[in-house]
Every structure is written in structure tokens, then in C-alpha cells.
């Protein structure tokens, strides 16, 4: 199992929050046998995470449904950027194909 990192940061308003872009590495490409998808438990799960799991987790935190919808929308707008960066990356062609398949799987799971 790869131990994923989580970092707390203090923003300009002196609020402490999770760093939204920490340790951006898809370990699934290197360790496909690693079944965990998250170090944090998301609605009682660390693997096989679907949109319904995140929705239930969001609801348990009391997040406003409009806020959650906006997060999904923002996320969906980044997918083409991910693809374009990946194409320009130093990954091997095989890794690029694996990344493309993984991205498709995850976007399908999140329904974005």
C-alpha cells in the first residue's frame, strides 16, 4: 500500500484547510494491485468509490447541495486539461494509455 499524503494549509484569512493540490501522483499507474483509492475513509470506504459514496459523505458533512454540484461542475471542466497535460508528459505511451483508461474509469464513477 502506498501511503498518500494529506497536508493542512493556512489560507490568507487564517483558516486551516486541506491543501487541494498536494502530492498529485496517480499511484494506481505504478501500483495497479493497490486496491485503496484514498487514505481517507469516504462514507465508510477507501476503494470502489462512486458518486453516490461522495454524495452520502457530503450529506453527512452537511454540505449544501448547490456547493457540491458546483464542485462536480468545476471538476468536469478540468478533464480536458488533464488529458492535454498527460499527452505532453514524459510518460511512456503505455502509461499514457493506462492513464487515459484510469481517467475514463474515474470520470464514469463520478458521473462527470
Amino acid at each position: 500500500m502506498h501511503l498518500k499524503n494529506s497536508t493542512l494549509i493556512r489560507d490568507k484569512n487564517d483558516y486551516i484547510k486541506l491543501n487541494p493540490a498536494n502530492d498529485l501522483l496517480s499511484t494506481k499507474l505504478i501500483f495497479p494491485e493497490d486496491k485503496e483509492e484514498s487514505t481517507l475513509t469516504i462514507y465508510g470506504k477507501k476503494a470502489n468509490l462512486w458518486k453516490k459514496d461522495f454524495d452520502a459523505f457530503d450529506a453527512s458533512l452537511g454540505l449544501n447541495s448547490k456547493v457540491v454540484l458546483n464542485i462536480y461542475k468545476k471538476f468536469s471542466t478540468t478533464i480536458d486539461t488533464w488529458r492535454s497535460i498527460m499527452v505532453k508528459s514524459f510518460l511512456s505511451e503505455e502509461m499514457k494509455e493506462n492513464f487515459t483508461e484510469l481517467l475514463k474509469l474515474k470520470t464514469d464513477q463520478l458521473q462527470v
Side-chain angles (χ1 to χ4, degrees), residues 33-63:
E33 68 279 359
D34 185 2
K35 301 302 178 202
E36 285 191 355
E37 298 172 357
S38 174
T39 53
L40 301 175
T41 302
I42 307 294
Y43 202 61
K45 297 169 63 175
K46 288 187 172 189
N48 196 26
L49 298 166
W50 292 79
K51 184 177 182 295
K52 64 182 176 69
D53 300 310
F54 287 98
D55 290 343
F57 180 69
D58 299 341
S60 74
L61 295 175
L63 297 178

Side-chain angles (χ1 to χ4, degrees), residues 73-107:
K73 285 181 183 178
K74 285 180 183 179
F75 182 75
S76 69
T77 65
T78 67
I79 294 167
D80 287 337
T81 303
W82 288 14
R83 286 188 185 111
S84 67
I85 291 170
M86 183 271 307
V87 168
K88 298 173 189 174
S89 76
F90 295 108
L91 290 174
S92 68
E93 290 305 314
E94 179 183 3
M95 286 291 194
K96 288 178 182 181
E97 289 175 23
N98 292 346
F99 181 89
T100 300
E101 290 172 11
L102 182 61
L103 183 60
K104 170 83 170 96
L105 172 68
K106 297 305 173 188
T107 55

